[in-house]
Amino acid sequence: MKCPNCSNEMKEGQLICEACGNEIRIVPDFEPEIENSITETLSTLAALQDDETTGSDKDKENNKKEKEIEKKKIEQSRKMGTMIGIIISAVLIVALFSYMLYSYHVGSVSYQMDRAREYAAHGEYEQAIACLNIAYNKDDTDPQILFLKADYYYLLFDNDSALQELKQIIDKGTYSYETVEEAYDKMVAIYSQEDRYEDINELLLNCKEDTIVNMFQSYLAKEPEFSYVEGNYDEVIPLKLSSNTSGTIYYTSDGSIPDENSKVYTAPLFLESGDYTISAVFVNDYGIKSEVVSKFYHISLETPDAPEVSLYSGEYTEPMLVSVTADPGCDIYYTTDGTEPTKDSVPYTGPIPMPLGVTHFKFVSISEEGVAGDVTMRTYILKLEGAVSTDDAVDELIDRLVETGYLEDKSGNVPQQNVTYSYQFSSVVSIDDEVYFTINEYFDDGTGILSRTDKVFLVQVYTKAVARLGYGENGEFVAHIL
């Protein structure tokens, strides 16, 4: 502790300060003023205590009333606070519910689609697409969202994006047939507008709906179809090539790849004995080219024998009939101008009168399957010693017809008819041991076109006697002299 006089630090238990010598008192001395003050204070307290004793009943009553009033105030404040809390809670709940309803409405598919249409009505297609993206993320089962997006991209001249949206509809696999058909229709329209016909062709080739493919058949270029499957055949086959729509089929028969410079298919290809590799490609009216398709055919047919001719080649001095026979079921065709006989040549129907002068015959047999055999050739020289010329024979016939009144004049005019007849040498025949030139009759009705009549006239090659050709009871030739 410290000395109260000089503040010197004193040791514990020391009562006299070593520095100043001051004695430290345990009990302080009271001065008279302090003592008087204490006495006065005590008197005052005693008086106050007496006053408190006399007024305690009133104070107690007043304090009780004040406490009751305070209690009521506290109770009222508590009730008021509770009410305010309830009101605040209700307001918060209503606000939260309203916010949730608003958020649900704003985030709904219908709301976003309505907003998209509103934006689109003002030409704000990008904002419209943004709304549709939100709607599609919430519901990808509504194809109308994708249709609207495609329409708005189209209006923004972004056709590729529009096509992607429509392709989503096709690839989704869950939309109705009508929806998918509409998507194809819009895609084809966009491709067609841009002349992207190859893209249309690829789109349709990948389409699994035949009815949709048929709707746009004109844009499609499928591989040509062959009427016969490839393989081995023992008959001639008329191979037909067909396409799915209008266009041109190009083909080759030597195994090479066909293109626009190859042969154009117009009629069935008749495949006879031999091996064939037929390749074909189709190009439609839009220039779309199909894949090339090739098929191999081995045709093994029985070849008919060459026709047998009754007369050998040589020089003859009297007219003869040339008879020809072939295998059963075969037809015979012939030429006299040196060309090879085919199905398009003159058909053999019966014995042929040997022509006057030098004639080169070529005969061929063609089976029912269209197989042609070897060609038989004959050369005949028919000379009639002392015979008149064929021109003289024709003049003699006309003179005789004028004499009989059949013709009006040598120009071939016919009495009371607006037609003209003309006559041409045909062949030489032998009838009842007489040799005749056969002369056919033709008429001209003024158009310059000659038509053969059913009349055949005869002129005797030595005497120039004129007759008309007829037929006997057994079908033999008969000469009716005029």
Side-chain angles (χ1 to χ4, degrees):
M1 78 178 183
K2 293 182 179 181
C3 176
N5 185 44
C6 64
S7 301
N8 179 46
E9 188 70 30
M10 296 178 64
K11 297 179 181 179
E12 186 178 355
Q14 189 176 2
L15 300 178
I16 299 175
C17 177
E18 295 178 351
C20 68
N22 185 40
E23 184 179 357
I24 304 303
R25 297 181 180 181
I26 300 303
V27 178
D29 294 334
F30 289 96
E31 294 185 0
E33 292 82 1
I34 294 174
E35 185 176 357
N36 292 332
S37 177
I38 291 171
T39 302
E40 186 176 330
T41 300
L42 291 173
S43 298
T44 302
L45 289 174
L48 289 172
Q49 187 173 4
D50 291 339
D51 292 337
E52 185 177 352
T53 301
T54 56
S56 59
D57 293 336
K58 293 181 179 180
D59 292 338
K60 288 180 180 179
E61 186 177 352
N62 291 333
N63 288 337
K64 184 178 180 180
K65 291 181 178 181
E66 289 177 359
K67 288 181 180 179
E68 290 178 356
I69 292 172
E70 186 69 23
K71 185 177 180 181
K72 290 180 179 180
K73 289 181 178 180
I74 293 173
E75 187 69 24
Q76 290 178 351
S77 297
R78 186 179 298 161
K79 291 181 178 180
M80 183 64 69
T82 302
M83 183 64 68
I84 292 173
I86 293 173
I87 293 172
I88 292 174
S89 299
V91 170
L92 290 174
I93 291 172
V94 171
L96 178 61
F97 183 72
S98 299
Y99 176 76
M100 291 174 64
L101 285 177
Y102 174 76
S103 298
Y104 176 79
H105 175 66
V106 169
S108 67
V109 173
S110 59
Y111 175 81
Q112 293 297 334
M113 292 184 69
D114 289 341
R115 287 196 67 194
R117 291 187 178 94
E118 290 176 4
Y119 279 126
H122 294 86
E124 299 174 353
Y125 301 117
E126 292 180 351
Q127 292 88 334
I129 292 172
C131 292
L132 293 174
N133 286 333
I134 296 173
Y136 190 73
N137 289 334
K138 290 182 173 295
D139 182 10
D140 63 355
T141 63
D142 186 356
Q144 197 60 34
I145 299 174
L146 296 177
F147 277 126
L148 286 176
K149 287 177 68 177
D151 290 344
Y152 298 156
Y153 276 124
Y154 178 80
L155 293 171
L156 287 171
F157 303 101
D158 187 357
N159 287 350
D160 287 338
S161 295
L163 290 168
Q164 290 177 5
E165 300 298 331
L166 295 170
K167 193 66 166 57
Q168 282 193 67
I169 297 175
I170 294 173
D171 295 339
K172 187 71 172 177
T174 58
Y175 297 133
S176 67
Y177 169 83
E178 291 75 12
T179 298
V180 174
E181 178 185 317
E182 183 180 354
Y184 271 104
D185 186 54
K186 287 179 176 289
M187 288 190 72
V188 170
I190 293 175
Y191 280 137
S192 178
Q193 182 182 8
E194 297 181 348
D195 295 334
R196 294 167 61 179
Y197 301 115
E198 290 290 348
D199 291 324
I200 298 177
N201 183 60
E202 183 178 356
L203 177 69
L204 295 176
L205 287 175
N206 294 324
C207 179
K208 298 180 181 179
E209 293 288 347
D210 292 339
T211 52
I212 293 178
V213 173
N214 292 334
M215 289 174 57
F216 307 102
Q217 192 72 237
S218 61
Y219 293 102
L220 189 61
K222 289 185 177 180
E223 296 177 352
E225 293 185 359
F226 287 53
S227 59
Y228 287 82
V229 298
E230 62 182 350
N232 300 323
Y233 292 86
D234 58 0
E235 61 181 347
V236 173
I237 61 173
L239 180 63
K240 297 179 181 179
L241 307 180
S242 59
S243 59
N244 62 293
T245 184
S246 59
T248 304
I249 297 176
Y250 300 91
Y251 76 96
T252 60
S253 56
D254 56 3
S256 61
I257 303 300
D259 55 25
E260 286 85 349
N261 297 318
S262 302
K263 296 178 181 178
V264 176
Y265 174 83
T266 57
L269 309 177
F270 288 91
L271 306 185
E272 301 179 354
S273 291
D275 294 330
Y276 302 86
T277 298
I278 308 298
S279 300
V281 65
F282 171 63
V283 180
N284 69 11
D285 290 339
Y286 295 95
I288 303 172
K289 185 184 296 184
S290 74
E291 296 292 329
V292 175
V293 58
S294 298
K295 294 187 182 297
F296 175 78
Y297 299 92
H298 174 73
I299 311 299
S300 179
L301 301 174
E302 183 177 350
T303 303
D305 293 332
E308 294 184 0
V309 182
S310 60
L311 298 177
Y312 292 105
S313 296
E315 184 174 325
Y316 293 83
T317 58
E318 59 182 66
M320 304 291 291
L321 292 176
V322 182
S323 298
V324 186
T325 58
D327 292 343
C330 294
D331 294 323
I332 302 173
Y333 298 87
Y334 71 94
T335 61
T336 57
D337 58 1
T339 60
E340 295 300 312
T342 66
K343 274 189 172 182
D344 297 326
S345 302
V346 179
Y348 173 83
T349 57
I352 306 169
M354 183 180 293
L356 188 64
V358 180
T359 307
H360 301 285
F361 280 99
K362 286 186 176 182
F363 299 96
V364 68
S365 295
I366 299 180
S367 67
E368 294 177 347
E369 294 80 17
V371 180
D374 293 332
V375 174
T376 300
M377 295 183 292
R378 292 287 187 271
T379 298
Y380 301 112
I381 302 172
L382 177 59
K383 293 182 178 181
L384 300 177
E385 297 292 338
V388 299
S389 68
T390 57
D391 290 340
D392 288 343
V394 171
D395 290 341
E396 184 68 22
L397 171 63
I398 293 174
D399 289 342
R400 182 61 180 154
L401 294 177
V402 172
E403 288 177 7
T404 60
Y406 183 79
L407 296 178
E408 188 174 62
D409 51 41
K410 291 185 178 183
S411 296
N413 294 314
V414 179
Q416 299 180 352
Q417 295 186 37
N418 190 25
V419 294
T420 301
Y421 287 133
S422 61
Y423 301 89
Q424 296 179 9
F425 165 77
S426 176
S427 62
V428 180
V429 296
S430 179
I431 302 175
D432 295 333
D433 297 328
E434 295 286 342
V435 179
Y436 294 94
F437 291 128
T438 62
I439 300 174
N440 295 328
E441 181 183 66
Y442 298 86
F443 79 91
D444 182 356
D445 60 0
T447 62
I449 299 175
L450 296 180
S451 300
R452 182 176 169 177
T453 71
D454 59 354
K455 295 184 178 68
V456 177
F457 294 95
L458 302 172
V459 176
Q460 217 280 347
V461 299
Y462 301 109
T463 65
K464 296 196 294 186
V466 177
R468 181 176 173 181
L469 180 65
Y471 298 91
E473 294 180 356
N474 297 322
E476 72 278 10
F477 290 145
V478 176
H480 299 287
I481 303 298
L482 295 181

